[in-house]
Amino acid sequence: MISRLVLAVAVTTALAGATAPALSTARADAADGTMERQLDELAAELTTLVETDDATPHGDARRVVGLRLPARTYTSAHVDYLRFRERAGVGVATWKIGSRERTELLVDVPIRPTVPTDRLEEHGSHRLLFVLTRSDGRRVLTVHRFKSEAGARGGHA
């Protein structure tokens, strides 16, 4: 009887050890897929904004978007951070899950985050305001935290 118990514990431990890396990879893939889907939608929104709206010094062209940073669950890894920035004159998003860092092109104009949006680390929903302006003759998207409709019309966030 005791030998069966010892054998059952040994087999369970071996199975758990063998499946842990696969489960970790599956969780990271799920979180990565969630981020890719959201950022693809964001890229479409920002491309429409840039192509259809005029950039002004006052930032009259705006889009409010919602993004969700996944938290760790049984089926998903957590996202360590999400950053928006400019790389080689275009706007990109970079996110990190575990040891993997991914970057995706969002739009063909630079993105400049404000301090509260420089690095999003809190899991859950984030409402962001993207404002298209003209600075030094160039069109630029600035990212702000969205706080209210009045903020979206006047003082950004």
Side-chain angles (χ1 to χ4, degrees), residues 10 51 59 66 70 93 97 114:
E51 290 176 353
I97 300 169
T114 56

Side-chain angles (χ1 to χ4, degrees), residues 17-48:
T19 60
L23 183 58
S24 177
T25 300
R27 285 178 178 153
D29 289 346
D32 198 42
T34 298
M35 293 305 296
E36 283 181 352
R37 281 188 299 280
Q38 292 183 95
L39 293 172
D40 286 346
E41 291 174 14
L42 176 60
E45 281 283 325
L46 296 180
T47 298
T48 300

Side-chain angles (χ1 to χ4, degrees), residues 3-155:
S3 62
R4 285 185 185 171
L5 179 62
V6 170
L7 181 60
V9 169
V11 168
T12 302
T13 303
L15 286 174
T19 60
L23 183 58
S24 177
T25 300
R27 285 178 178 153
D29 289 346
D32 198 42
T34 298
M35 293 305 296
E36 283 181 352
R37 281 188 299 280
Q38 292 183 95
L39 293 172
D40 286 346
E41 291 174 14
L42 176 60
E45 281 283 325
L46 296 180
T47 298
T48 300
L49 173 67
V50 168
E51 290 176 353
T52 61
D53 292 40
D54 291 327
T56 65
H58 302 293
D60 297 322
R62 305 156 186 262
R63 289 290 191 281
V64 176
V65 297
L67 292 173
R68 184 181 62 81
L69 268 60
R72 181 182 167 94
T73 64
Y74 184 72
T75 59
S76 177
H78 74 278
V79 173
D80 295 320
Y81 63 80
L82 170 64
R83 293 184 343 187
F84 297 101
R85 60 190 170 145
E86 174 185 355
R87 180 187 285 174
V90 299
V92 298
T94 301
W95 67 98
K96 184 176 179 193
I97 300 169
S99 61
R100 292 193 292 190
E101 186 174 84
R102 298 270 319 269
T103 298
E104 182 172 320
L105 171 68
L106 293 178
V107 68
D108 290 333
V109 298
I111 293 179
R112 295 193 182 136
T114 56
V115 173
T117 59
D118 184 38
R119 185 176 166 119
L120 302 175
E121 296 177 337
E122 306 85 29
H123 302 112
S125 297
H126 297 269
R127 289 191 53 144
L128 303 174
L129 174 65
F130 287 82
V131 181
L132 182 63
T133 60
R134 186 167 294 281
S135 175
D136 297 326
R138 293 178 62 194
R139 296 182 311 162
V140 176
L141 278 168
T142 306
V143 186
H144 304 270
R145 288 233 187 233
F146 179 79
K147 293 187 180 177
S148 70
E149 288 297 328
R153 285 190 299 275

